[in-house]
Amino acid sequence: MRLSISSSNDRLPTGSWLAVWTVVAILSLALILFFEFKIRHQGWKPSVVDSKQLWAYHRKRASELGDKAIILVGSSRIQLDTDLTVVKKFSKLEPIQLAIDGTPWMPVLENLAQDNSIRGTIIVSVNGSTVNLGSSSSKASQWVEYYKNIYSESNEPYRVVNNKIKSFIEDHMITRFEGARPITVISKLAFAEPSLGNYLITHHDRSRDADYQKVHMPYFYLTRLQRHFGRKIIDKKVSLNEFSSIYKNAIMNLKPKENKNFLIGLNALMEIIHTIESRGGKVFLVRFPTDKLLWEIDNKRYPKNLFWKQIEKRHPRSIHFSNYQSLSKYHLPDGSHLDYRDKEPFTRSLMEIILGIK
């Protein structure tokens, strides 16, 4: 004889299960909201992950918009220093941020030149060290290849919808900080020691805000200085004044870089620009601000007469920040990027200059 250990009478009715799941959902939501408030109170703000998928999404938008787009190309300076809302207000065009942090931008501009639908305005962040052909192993080349070989060929609606939903959630929820799972964010941040929070925020439109009140100065600046110089020249513990003095002396002894590769890159750049402008587009080359000892390094390594003057001779739509008081008056906390509080007025001045150039 087989005994039954359960029966249909022992099971919860469907309505009861629905009530249980409703309670669980409400409690989960309350818990997430609690940690959202707690982590934000500690100074952290939502930030999306700046991935090749997000970049490719905006690259495709550039093609779809055609001459209705104003496209930004470069690396971290144009990504942090430019207010896209101001760009849109002044230009009456849709801004597309295609800058890629820490990588040569030439592959991106070349890809735009190969696309006949790109007929609008392009602003490129340029300096003496970035006018080069790049390499196939650079992040810019890899992201362009991803777009050409994978993303641009895919027409599945779910990809666009999924990307929008994912980025919207990451853009508004700190518990999805830079794409991490909520449990990971909560375990790392909710119970950590109080901190200043994240100083860098990436938005779904790929613009970035840097809040330098959240970093430890002057150490943050000195670390940037050391990296910009290119090598470590201090092996012992020194005071802040000694650190600055040692680097000042080292900068004084810097020699100008050879401009042979720069001129080769400049020739390639002019061909790319000609391709874009021959079909109605406009390309503006902008030297974004640098200051403090980082500017001294750039002046020594890439003197204007050997580098920027060569750009000006070849392309009339060239804007160097040092030639305009409205662009050079800003304090750059790390010597290389604007604080987000200065983005709006800086971008307004830049757009006024751009719109004044025929």
Side-chain angles (χ1 to χ4, degrees):
M1 181 177 178
R2 182 176 297 173
L3 295 176
S4 175
I5 60 174
S6 65
S7 67
S8 59
N9 293 331
D10 298 325
R11 298 172 185 167
L12 284 173
T14 301
S16 298
W17 279 114
L18 181 60
V20 169
W21 284 114
T22 300
V23 171
V24 170
I26 292 174
L27 290 176
S28 299
L29 179 60
L31 195 61
I32 289 175
L33 290 175
F34 168 77
F35 283 115
E36 281 282 326
F37 176 80
K38 179 176 175 60
I39 297 173
R40 286 170 189 257
H41 186 68
Q42 291 180 254
W44 293 85
K45 294 182 179 180
S47 179
V48 308
V49 61
D50 193 15
S51 64
K52 61 183 179 183
Q53 291 83 5
L54 183 60
W55 183 89
Y57 166 75
H58 289 286
R59 169 62 187 87
K60 192 167 187 176
R61 288 183 63 230
S63 292
E64 294 168 348
L65 286 165
D67 60 2
K68 302 297 189 297
I70 180 167
I71 305 169
L72 281 63
V73 175
S75 53
S76 60
R77 285 186 187 131
I78 194 169
Q79 195 172 13
L80 268 73
D81 295 0
T82 310
D83 188 314
L84 298 190
T85 302
V86 175
V87 172
K88 183 173 183 177
K89 177 181 177 181
F90 275 77
S91 68
K92 311 302 181 185
L93 299 170
E94 191 64 33
I96 302 292
Q97 179 59 269
L98 293 184
I100 304 176
D101 186 14
T103 187
W105 44 261
M106 194 82 86
V108 175
L109 193 63
E110 185 176 24
N111 174 251
L112 294 173
Q114 294 167 352
D115 185 345
N116 289 328
S117 64
I118 302 298
R119 304 183 306 279
T121 301
I122 301 175
I123 303 173
V124 187
S125 174
V126 176
N127 60 56
S129 65
T130 62
V131 179
N132 58 70
L133 300 177
S135 67
S136 59
S137 61
S138 70
K139 183 163 71 170
S141 295
Q142 292 172 1
W143 285 20
V144 166
E145 287 304 307
Y146 170 78
Y147 169 74
K148 291 195 302 185
N149 299 327
I150 299 176
Y151 193 95
S152 64
E153 298 299 324
S154 176
N155 295 317
E156 299 97 328
Y158 83 89
R159 185 187 295 274
V160 176
V161 174
N162 182 65
N163 182 72
K164 286 187 175 181
I165 293 174
K166 180 175 179 291
S167 294
F168 178 84
I169 292 173
E170 290 178 9
D171 213 6
H172 292 83
M173 291 183 64
I174 188 61
T175 47
R176 284 286 292 162
F177 181 74
E178 293 189 350
R181 296 169 59 194
I183 189 64
T184 302
V185 177
I186 291 170
S187 63
K188 293 286 185 181
L189 302 181
F191 305 103
E193 292 294 323
S195 68
L196 295 173
N198 54 319
Y199 90 97
L200 191 62
I201 298 171
T202 305
H203 302 286
H204 174 56
D205 61 9
R206 298 195 66 256
S207 64
R208 278 183 165 173
D209 293 334
D211 184 352
Y212 286 100
Q213 292 183 6
K214 290 188 173 185
V215 302
H216 296 284
M217 290 294 187
Y219 302 100
F220 191 93
Y221 159 67
L222 295 177
T223 300
R224 173 77 66 181
L225 168 63
Q226 189 170 262
R227 188 162 72 242
H228 198 71
F229 188 81
R231 59 187 175 88
K232 187 177 180 180
I233 60 175
I234 300 176
D235 294 321
K236 60 180 180 179
K237 190 173 182 179
V238 297
S239 68
L240 295 176
N241 288 336
E242 288 177 306
F243 188 101
S244 296
S245 179
I246 290 170
Y247 269 94
K248 283 180 181 177
N249 291 331
I251 292 168
M252 287 178 62
N253 295 320
L254 288 176
K255 304 298 182 185
K257 294 277 189 180
E258 290 284 342
N259 70 349
K260 180 180 178 180
N261 290 334
F262 166 82
L263 293 175
I264 293 173
L266 183 57
N267 287 333
L269 174 59
M270 290 304 107
E271 291 182 12
I272 292 171
I273 291 175
H274 174 73
T275 299
I276 295 170
E277 295 194 336
S278 64
R279 58 175 180 251
K282 286 185 179 180
V283 178
F284 292 86
L285 305 180
V286 181
R287 176 47 162 101
F288 275 72
T290 310
D291 74 352
K292 303 185 178 69
L293 291 180
L294 279 76
W295 177 226
E296 296 302 320
I297 292 173
D298 288 346
N299 270 333
K300 284 286 189 176
R301 286 179 172 159
Y302 308 101
K304 263 189 171 184
N305 63 316
L306 293 178
F307 292 88
W308 186 259
K309 291 295 184 182
Q310 307 307 313
I311 294 175
E312 287 182 331
K313 289 178 183 177
R314 303 285 298 275
H315 192 61
R317 298 189 185 96
S318 301
I319 301 167
H320 196 292
F321 79 94
S322 66
N323 295 332
Y324 299 88
Q325 197 277 333
S326 62
L327 301 182
S328 58
K329 65 181 180 180
Y330 293 95
H331 164 71
L332 282 65
D334 69 346
S336 191
H337 306 93
L338 290 172
D339 184 90
Y340 83 96
R341 298 167 183 84
D342 291 325
K343 283 175 61 173
E344 189 271 338
F346 173 83
T347 307
R348 190 187 328 121
S349 296
L350 177 60
M351 292 306 299
E352 287 173 349
I353 294 168
I354 287 175
L355 293 175
I357 298 175
K358 302 301 181 183

